[in-house]
């Protein structure tokens, strides 16, 4: 992918011998790497990677995808984990801007999609404020991969007329969500970063009126070789989430009963067996 030429210079950056130095600006590409399987990478993301001078990447981006970048490209890991950040977000913003101002083609490689709980909006604004050209390349978000892999549609006639993506993580306290709206039947609620708060989420949804018997699917490491699925109910969500170690999604809704999984809690296995035999 050819980089668009830029002939602007950042005023006042470098003055040598009374003459303002002029250097072409680089550009930033906010690239969605998808859920991990390199086969789910888009052509545009692949082309952006191939043209990168430097790749600033999340910790969840697979090595198979990172290896698509040129060998000459510098890699910078800015991995985030709960309560443990390699770099704070403000520092990441400053880093990608500084690299672009130095004339480099920067790929900010993010798991999933940059604009879905990826903080891509903050990085885009930082680039705009600095006068740096910024492009956004969408990626396959984990919920789509988890749904497809499990054969459990996010929307399904008669079972799920809507789907809502929410985050189960909050900087302080519990997530500020509209529990009453999320508790309505015949919709799918997908919770990102919700494993540690699975009990609270289930409690709030049930308290707002969602049936405890509503099917719930946990998908760990969606699309990867070590993907694992656990089918349970909303009432059993907290217990089922206790054995989850890797990044995972919580997916609550009637259509999750269609999930193809060999791991189901006993009460769900019995319910599904009855439902399938009666069809």
């Amino acid at each position: 992918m050819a980089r668009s030429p830029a002939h602007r210079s950042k005023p006042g950056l470098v003055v040598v011998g009374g003459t303002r130095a002029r250097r072409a600006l680089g550009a930033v590409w906010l690239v969605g790497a998808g859920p991990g399987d390199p086969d789910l990478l888009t052509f545009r993301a692949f082309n952006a990677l191939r043209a990168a001078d430097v790749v600033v990447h999340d910790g969840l981006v697979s090595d198979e995808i990172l290896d698509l970048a040129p060998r000459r490209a510098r890699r910078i890991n800015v991995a985030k984990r709960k309560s443990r950040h390699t770099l704070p977000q403000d520092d990441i913003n400053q880093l990608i801007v500084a690299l672009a101002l130095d004339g480099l083609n920067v790929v900010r490689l993010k798991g999933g999609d940059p604009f879905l709980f990826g903080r891509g909006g903050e990085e885009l604004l930082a680039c705009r404020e600095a006068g740096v050209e910024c492009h956004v390349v969408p990626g396959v978000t984990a919920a789509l991969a988890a749904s497809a892999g499990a054969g459990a549609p996010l929307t399904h006639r008669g079972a799920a007329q809507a789907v809502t993506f929410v985050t189960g993580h909050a900087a302080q306290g519990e997530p500020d969500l509209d529990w009453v709206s999320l508790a309505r039947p015949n919709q799918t609620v997908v919770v990102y970063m919700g494993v540690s708060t699975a009990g609270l989420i289930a409690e709030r949804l049930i308290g707002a009126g969602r049936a405890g018997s509503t099917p719930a699917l946990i998908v760990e490491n969606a699309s990867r070789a070590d993907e694992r699925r656990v089918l349970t109910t909303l009432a059993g969500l907290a217990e089922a989430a206790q054995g989850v170690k890797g990044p995972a999604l919580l997916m609550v809704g009637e259509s999750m009963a269609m999930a193809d999984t060999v791991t189901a809690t006993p009460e769900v296995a019995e319910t599904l067996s009855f439902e399938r035999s009666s069809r």
Side-chain angles (χ1 to χ4, degrees):
M1 176 178 294
R3 180 175 57 188
S4 300
H7 301 289
R8 296 166 293 172
S9 62
K10 190 70 175 177
L13 279 180
V14 181
V15 177
V16 180
T19 302
R20 189 189 306 276
R22 303 180 67 85
R23 168 180 279 181
L25 295 180
V28 171
W29 296 79
L30 304 180
V31 177
D37 183 349
D39 285 346
L40 296 178
L41 199 69
T42 67
F43 279 119
R44 193 175 188 204
F46 173 80
N47 288 333
L49 266 174
R50 295 300 299 166
D53 296 317
V54 58
V55 179
V56 180
H57 64 92
D58 290 345
L60 295 179
V61 176
S62 66
D63 289 339
E64 293 88 346
I65 291 177
L66 285 172
D67 288 343
L68 296 175
R71 292 195 177 190
R72 61 174 173 76
R74 179 185 176 192
R75 297 183 187 180
I76 302 176
N77 188 344
V78 292
K80 289 189 179 74
R81 295 290 188 274
K82 186 177 179 182
S83 304
R84 180 165 56 88
H85 293 180
T86 300
L87 281 180
Q89 185 60 49
D90 286 346
D91 289 352
I92 295 174
N93 297 347
Q94 293 176 31
L95 172 64
I96 61 175
V97 165
L99 291 168
L101 291 176
D102 202 33
L104 299 174
N105 197 34
V106 183
V107 168
R108 173 67 174 105
L109 193 60
K110 309 167 80 67
D113 180 88
F115 282 178
L116 192 61
F117 304 124
R119 304 185 77 166
E122 298 173 42
E123 294 168 359
L124 174 63
L125 287 174
C127 290
R128 286 178 175 174
E129 290 172 0
V132 169
E133 183 180 348
C134 186
H135 308 269
V136 182
V137 181
V140 176
T141 188
L144 302 182
S147 168
L154 296 176
T155 62
H156 185 63
R157 187 168 62 175
Q161 282 72 55
V163 58
T164 304
F165 299 154
V166 301
T167 175
H169 174 72
Q172 295 181 346
E174 67 177 82
D176 183 18
L177 300 172
D178 185 348
W179 299 108
V180 174
S181 293
L182 296 175
R184 292 170 183 158
N186 297 319
Q187 67 168 318
T188 304
V189 177
V190 180
V191 185
Y192 285 73
M193 299 169 284
V195 171
S196 63
T197 55
L200 173 66
I201 290 166
E203 179 183 340
R204 292 291 184 265
L205 287 174
I206 293 173
R210 197 89 194 239
S213 59
T214 304
L217 178 67
I218 301 174
V219 181
E220 182 180 13
N221 295 318
S223 86
R224 297 175 185 250
D226 57 348
E227 176 179 323
R228 187 169 72 98
R229 307 174 197 135
V230 180
L231 188 59
T232 183
T233 61
L234 183 57
L237 188 62
E239 182 178 355
Q242 289 179 0
V244 176
K245 305 299 182 183
L249 294 171
L250 313 179
M251 307 169 74
V252 179
E254 288 75 8
S255 64
M256 293 302 105
M258 297 173 61
D260 179 13
T261 175
V262 296
T263 308
T265 56
E267 69 276 11
V268 170
E270 182 178 352
T271 300
L272 290 178
S273 177
F274 172 78
E275 288 181 353
R276 287 166 179 164
S277 63
S278 63
R279 288 174 187 166

